[in-house]
Amino acid sequence: MTQRKRALLTGITGQDGSYLSEFLLEKGYEIHGIMRRTSTFNTDRIDHIYEDPHSSDARLFLHYGDLTDGTTLRRILEEVCPQEIYNLGAQSHVRVSFDSPEYTVDSVGMGTLRLLEALRDYQQRTGEEVRFYQAGSSEMFGLVQEVPQKENTPFYPRSPYACAKVYAHWQTINYRESYNLFACNGILFNHESPRRGETFVTRKVTRAVARIVAGKQKKLYLGNLDARRDWGYAKDYVRAMWLMLQQSEPEDYVVATGETHSIREFLDIAFTRVNLNWQDYVEIDPRYFRPAEVELLLGDPTKAKTKLNWEPSVTFKQLVELMVDADLEAIGQPCQNGNGGPLDHAMIRANMTSFVS
Ligand code: NAP
Ligand code: F7E
């Protein structure tokens, strides 16, 4: 009987960790995820795929650990003996990284180094190849030096988060070249979904749309509406991570849609989905401005398309609408009218009488 492949994931409880776990389970993998101990449950995104580990069918296993704790990472690696590692764990919020720079750099930068060190020793000791995926970010391009951004576009990071990702990126290359590790950097542009954290701008908007429709929120406070991002669908992006580790050579890849849109465009589509004008609800709160902003990101995914045969499957408009619909559903509001069109305006107004005159 052939042994099933084992994958070890950091960040399994996050947006990408949950989609990647689903994807790998479908491919027949056994999954081991490292999760932080928290005083309340943090497994919402993976509860639907979790099985009692006592069951003989169980293929998803969770281990307590933290990227700031190298001893534990090492122990888990020795126990699990994976064929693939996906390093998705991070303090991933750019604005928060200005408030907590040391912790961000510790988890994102040093965390990656700790994992690479453990992997280097494991591979040297056992002689077994373990393929490594590093979750790099378009934030590394920061103050962009070239449009669109490609694999060889110079980095100009603009936040503690982005500086730490650049460090992790180069350490991954350094370990590949120094110790012959099969280590790949994905340079992923923003990717979103109904599982996106509620404080990232896309989810903040779609969740607010649903809450406004339900009469639970009156205003939406945002920062810089002029920033432009290359937004894709998270489910598509985890497929690219896996594809990178299935190639004959370890390389780095940009994963993006090749389109850029402003926060205003996102607002337009999101509020139009429920027949509202975003201008009636959105207010600017300077607290959401960043000390240094990344104004424009636009990726060139040509390499991923040609070498990995990867394509995004969801358009920008579809992405916004699927996120709005999911938030409406989560709050108990019907997503669409009987004709499959946007929600009925009068019905929304009826639900909003508490605050709309
Ligand atoms: P996310 O939803 O914020 O998930 C981050 C994960 O990391 C969570 O499981 C979180 O655990 C875990 N984590 C945080 N601090 C940790 C620590 N000290 N030790 C161990 N685990 C820790 O992020 P995501 O959107 O899934 O992104 C996945 C990865 O891709 C991240 O590295 C992110 O920086 C990177 N990335 C994301 C995007 C994007 O647009 N989504 C684009 C480029 C790169 P809790 O659940 O306990 O908080
Ligand atoms: O901000 C602007 C904000 O926080 C996008 C992370 O996954 O993608 C993400 O980082 C833009 C910025 O994502 C609000 O100033 C306006 O220009 O949704 P975001 P991000 O900073 O691009 C990259 C690729 C990652 O790697 C990161 O891990 O939206 N914006 N008003 C706002 N942003 C937030 N969060 N909240 C606002 O109220």
Side-chain angles (χ1 to χ4, degrees):
M1 200 176 81
T2 52
Q3 276 252 315
R4 54 167 77 103
K5 267 191 171 177
R6 277 182 308 283
L8 176 62
L9 278 62
T10 68
I12 191 165
T13 56
Q15 171 189 257
D16 291 5
S18 67
Y19 284 121
L20 182 62
S21 296
E22 283 172 6
F23 178 85
L24 295 175
L25 284 172
E26 271 172 32
K27 293 243 168 255
Y29 279 68
E30 180 176 301
I31 315 284
H32 292 260
I34 299 179
M35 61 179 272
R36 301 190 290 176
R37 191 269 159 182
T38 48
S39 67
T40 51
F41 288 127
N42 61 348
T43 54
D44 282 12
R45 293 184 177 107
I46 51 170
D47 282 344
H48 63 291
I49 48 173
Y50 185 72
E51 279 180 88
D52 184 339
H54 302 101
S55 149
S56 57
D57 299 332
R59 285 196 289 126
L60 172 64
F61 302 92
L62 297 175
H63 306 256
Y64 282 118
D66 197 298
L67 283 159
T68 61
D69 175 1
T71 315
T72 310
L73 295 176
R74 219 166 250 275
R75 187 183 313 124
I76 295 170
L77 177 58
E78 294 287 341
E79 274 172 26
V80 172
C81 306
Q83 284 79 40
E84 294 173 10
I85 298 180
Y86 295 87
N87 182 29
L88 310 180
Q91 189 304 91
S92 73
H93 202 283
V94 173
R95 177 68 190 79
V96 172
S97 79
F98 287 98
D99 301 329
S100 295
E102 281 186 34
Y103 174 68
T104 302
V105 171
D106 197 4
S107 60
V108 173
M110 286 301 292
T112 304
L113 179 65
R114 291 182 185 106
L115 212 43
L116 285 167
E117 268 292 276
L119 174 53
R120 163 197 173 192
D121 289 347
Y122 175 84
Q123 194 162 293
Q124 274 177 3
R125 188 179 61 74
T126 62
E128 299 288 332
E129 182 183 77
V130 184
R131 298 189 167 198
F132 180 82
Y133 172 82
Q134 166 55 20
S137 165
S138 53
E139 283 293 303
M140 299 188 293
F141 295 119
L143 187 61
V144 295
Q145 303 294 298
E146 181 183 25
V147 180
Q149 294 89 53
K150 312 181 189 53
E151 288 77 9
N152 58 3
T153 299
F155 297 138
Y156 193 138
R158 299 264 282 169
S159 63
Y161 168 81
C163 291
K165 283 288 183 189
V166 170
Y167 174 82
H169 176 93
W170 281 107
Q171 283 295 20
T172 301
I173 292 173
N174 181 37
Y175 274 63
R176 176 165 82 209
E177 294 175 354
S178 303
Y179 307 116
N180 201 25
L181 296 188
F182 193 108
C184 301
N185 287 295
I187 307 174
L188 270 54
F189 282 63
N190 297 54
H191 44 280
E192 318 292 316
S193 75
R195 294 186 201 164
R196 183 59 142 153
E198 291 85 350
T199 60
F200 295 97
V201 74
T202 55
R203 186 72 199 292
K204 188 170 166 183
V205 169
T206 61
R207 188 167 171 269
V209 166
R211 287 171 58 80
I212 287 168
V213 168
K216 290 177 187 285
Q217 186 171 333
K218 295 179 186 177
K219 290 286 178 193
L220 169 58
Y221 293 94
L222 295 175
N224 176 14
L225 304 187
D226 296 320
R228 301 182 73 85
R229 291 289 182 273
D230 181 326
W231 276 298
Y233 183 36
K235 248 184 164 172
D236 286 336
Y237 286 48
V238 301
R239 183 160 36 88
M241 296 174 189
W242 177 78
L243 283 168
M244 285 176 215
L245 297 198
Q246 312 314 309
Q247 304 307 303
S248 54
E249 294 299 325
E251 291 184 36
D252 306 325
Y253 296 85
V254 159
V255 181
T257 67
E259 279 183 33
T260 186
H261 299 275
S262 66
I263 316 292
R264 286 173 205 281
E265 288 174 72
F266 194 100
L267 285 165
D268 257 332
I269 298 176
F271 278 79
T272 301
R273 184 68 170 168
V274 295
N275 289 337
L276 297 175
N277 291 322
W278 65 265
Q279 286 88 347
D280 295 337
Y281 301 93
V282 172
E283 304 267 335
I284 303 302
D285 182 340
R287 110 167 70 158
Y288 297 114
F289 293 154
R290 295 165 183 197
E293 176 63 289
V294 173
E295 294 291 351
L296 164 73
L297 289 173
L298 172 62
D300 177 354
T302 306
K303 182 176 175 187
K305 285 187 174 183
T306 50
K307 282 200 152 182
L308 302 179
N309 204 16
W310 176 86
E311 284 284 341
S313 72
V314 167
T315 65
F316 175 64
K317 184 164 182 283
Q318 285 169 338
L319 173 66
V320 183
E321 291 183 345
L322 76 82
M323 288 179 69
V324 170
D325 291 355
D327 274 318
L328 287 166
E329 201 178 320
I331 210 163
Q333 293 289 326
C335 296
Q336 297 190 322
N337 66 24
N339 306 322
L343 278 167
D344 179 60
H345 189 77
M347 192 260 305
I348 295 161
R349 288 275 164 201
N351 277 335
M352 289 170 53
T353 46
S354 55
F355 59 87
V356 176
S357 59

